[in-house]
Amino acid sequence: MLKKVLHLVEEIKDELIILNEYILNNPELGNKEIKACKAHIDLLKKHGFAVEEKYLNIKTAFRAVFKSSKPGPTIAYLAEYDALPEIGHGCGHNILGTTSTGAGIVLSKILSTIGGNVVVFGTPAEETCGAKVDMANKGAFDDITVAMISHPADKHYKSGKSLAMEAIEFTFKGRTAHAAACPEKGINALDAVINTFNNINALREHIKSDARVHGIIKEGGKAANIVPDLAIAQFYVRATTKSYLKELVEKVKNCAKGASIATGTELEIRNYEYSYDNLVTNQKLSEAYCKRLKDMGIEKIYEPKESFGSLDTGNVSHICPTIHPYFSISKTPIASHTKEFRDATNKPFAYNQMFKTIGALVLTGIDVIENHDLLHNIQKEFTCAKK
């Protein structure tokens, strides 16, 4: 099967390079990826996929399905294709999405022999409001057996973890007054924001070391001689588990509530972005992938990257067994979210690693379909992790 996969990857190499370069040269921000979305869809349709466009009423999302005539597991690959402001594809989502679409196409050409189905999901706006969150909430992954995605990086890393995250906005409303002539008539909303920050800073002594709380003052008044009647603060609250995140969020909210009481302001609380679940890597699936990556010639696979960030793939991992490894696009260390990282995605080395990663993703999908013991162990681990 390895030789067959290598042959199939070789057959579509040129198409994948064209797809990658086109998206690289036409960067689009989250939920505005019109060209990128269409490019993926056109290629998937060319290879026989049935595509549902504007999936779940998300303008630049899609669900591309290739079903075999034989029953079996459904393998999903997750494609991202949004860019960053100013530097374009500094996170490499052009090559990430191409890798997932490539894996889906190659696997589809083997299903007539082994059975099962393959789905490629187009998932917009990973850098901002994470469409996978909405998709997970609406049942997009409920019938998926396993989901896989591999992100470009400086090295090949095993799938690890990410932090659960809530984005909380505090709006304090007070009353204006002349700050010098009659300050006693005012209610200072900015004081409430400053007290909130101070309360949270005091809280830091008593939170877990791997949790994170960080924020900004979005609105703090208009002029120094006017008591601010409106002030807004936005925070990200992150933790390694959903359960601890819930506990920590309540404490952060209490910091704001206390500040509101102390200043006499009115307080409104809302989530201003989607909440991300922590990534739960399915270790059995990860082991199968790493084995296949070695079969593709990758000798060194590093332990998971230590991450204090958050991924919308985390929400997927709570619905079905999921992995989110990383693949190398550079022979030397290179930082993401940079122009150098962007440029590296269109170099011969990056393409070579991409093709090997596609092969590993496809071979892992084949293993899940054919190896019933592997699938049983993957599902058993997933069930135990949810308890």
Side-chain angles (χ1 to χ4, degrees):
M1 191 62 79
L2 175 59
K3 289 183 178 179
K4 184 174 181 61
V5 169
L6 289 173
H7 175 71
L8 290 169
V9 172
E10 184 69 30
E11 283 189 339
I12 64 168
K13 276 185 175 182
D14 291 343
E15 291 176 297
L16 296 180
I17 290 173
I18 291 170
L19 176 64
N20 180 64
E21 289 182 344
Y22 175 77
I23 296 174
L24 173 65
N25 294 326
N26 292 275
E28 300 162 301
L29 300 181
N31 290 319
K32 297 180 181 179
E33 315 99 318
I34 304 298
K35 294 179 180 179
C37 181
K38 184 178 185 302
H40 278 280
I41 289 172
D42 288 348
L43 185 57
L44 287 160
K45 283 183 175 180
K46 177 183 175 181
H47 286 275
F49 280 73
V51 182
E52 184 177 349
E53 301 182 36
K54 298 180 181 179
Y55 183 55
L56 298 176
N57 293 318
I58 303 172
K59 187 177 181 180
T60 54
F62 65 83
R63 184 176 189 268
V65 182
F66 192 101
K67 294 184 177 181
S68 75
S69 59
K70 301 177 182 179
T74 299
I75 312 300
Y77 300 110
L78 312 179
E80 298 170 3
Y81 33 78
D82 60 322
L84 295 164
E86 296 186 7
I87 61 173
H89 281 286
C91 201
H93 290 174
N94 51 312
I95 200 168
L96 183 159
T98 300
T99 301
S100 293
T101 287
I105 290 170
V106 173
L107 182 57
S108 73
K109 299 182 184 303
I110 300 171
L111 294 184
S112 61
T113 303
I114 64 174
N117 313 295
V118 60
V119 181
V120 178
F121 286 99
T123 62
E126 191 278 334
E127 295 290 351
T128 51
C129 58
K132 296 186 199 69
V133 176
D134 204 17
M135 295 166 78
N137 291 339
K138 293 181 178 179
F141 308 106
D142 290 355
D143 61 348
I144 299 301
T145 306
V146 300
M148 293 182 275
I149 179 174
S150 190
H151 197 292
D154 59 336
K155 297 181 179 71
H156 288 273
Y157 294 96
K158 297 177 182 178
S159 181
K161 63 183 180 180
S162 67
L163 300 186
M165 183 272 286
E166 278 203 35
I168 308 173
E169 181 178 272
F170 299 120
T171 298
F172 296 91
K173 295 181 180 180
R175 185 170 62 239
T176 59
H178 195 291
C182 51
E184 73 281 1
K185 295 181 180 180
I187 298 176
N188 197 317
L190 179 59
D191 283 345
V193 164
I194 293 172
N195 287 347
T196 298
F197 273 87
N198 289 336
N199 291 343
I200 290 173
N201 286 337
L203 174 66
R204 294 184 195 282
E205 182 182 358
H206 307 288
I207 68 176
K208 293 183 178 181
S209 60
D210 53 6
R212 297 288 186 270
V213 184
H214 43 98
I216 62 166
I217 299 176
K218 186 180 179 183
E219 172 67 57
K222 301 300 183 183
N225 64 343
I226 303 173
V227 174
D229 66 336
L230 177 68
I232 301 172
Q234 293 181 334
F235 289 89
Y236 281 162
V237 184
R238 306 181 195 259
T240 54
T241 65
K242 291 174 66 175
S243 58
Y244 185 62
L245 176 66
K246 182 178 180 180
E247 176 185 334
L248 184 56
V249 163
E250 286 307 307
K251 291 180 178 180
V252 171
K253 287 181 178 178
N254 286 338
C255 288
K257 291 175 182 178
S260 175
I261 292 171
T263 55
T265 54
E266 297 179 13
L267 171 62
E268 295 178 0
I269 303 174
R270 75 180 185 100
N271 287 84
Y272 67 97
E273 291 178 2
Y274 284 139
S275 299
Y276 286 6
D277 291 342
N278 57 301
L279 175 66
V280 181
T281 286
N282 187 279
Q283 295 300 330
K284 293 298 182 183
L285 181 59
S286 179
E287 290 168 7
Y289 170 77
C290 290
K291 178 180 180 299
R292 287 307 197 172
L293 197 58
K294 289 182 178 180
D295 290 341
M296 292 298 299
I298 303 301
E299 297 180 358
K300 181 63 176 177
I301 306 171
Y302 290 82
E303 291 301 310
K305 295 179 69 176
E306 184 178 28
S307 174
F308 293 102
S310 304
L311 303 164
D312 61 350
T313 303
N315 296 66
V316 182
S317 73
H318 288 260
I319 305 297
C320 64
T322 302
I323 58 171
H324 188 294
Y326 292 78
F327 69 95
S328 176
I329 61 168
S330 175
K331 293 180 180 179
T332 57
I334 186 171
S336 64
H337 286 213
T338 63
K339 293 179 180 179
E340 291 76 17
F341 195 90
R342 175 198 66 196
D343 296 342
T345 65
N346 193 30
K347 299 290 178 62
F349 180 82
Y351 286 125
N352 179 268
Q353 301 304 298
M354 178 184 76
F355 297 138
K356 291 179 179 180
T357 301
I358 289 172
L361 290 169
V362 172
L363 289 167
T364 305
I366 293 171
D367 288 339
V368 171
I369 293 172
E370 291 192 317
N371 188 332
H372 300 297
D373 288 339
L374 172 62
L375 178 56
H376 172 76
N377 290 332
I378 289 171
Q379 292 175 329
K380 181 180 179 181
E381 178 187 334
F382 177 73
T383 301
C384 291
K386 292 187 71 175
K387 292 180 180 179

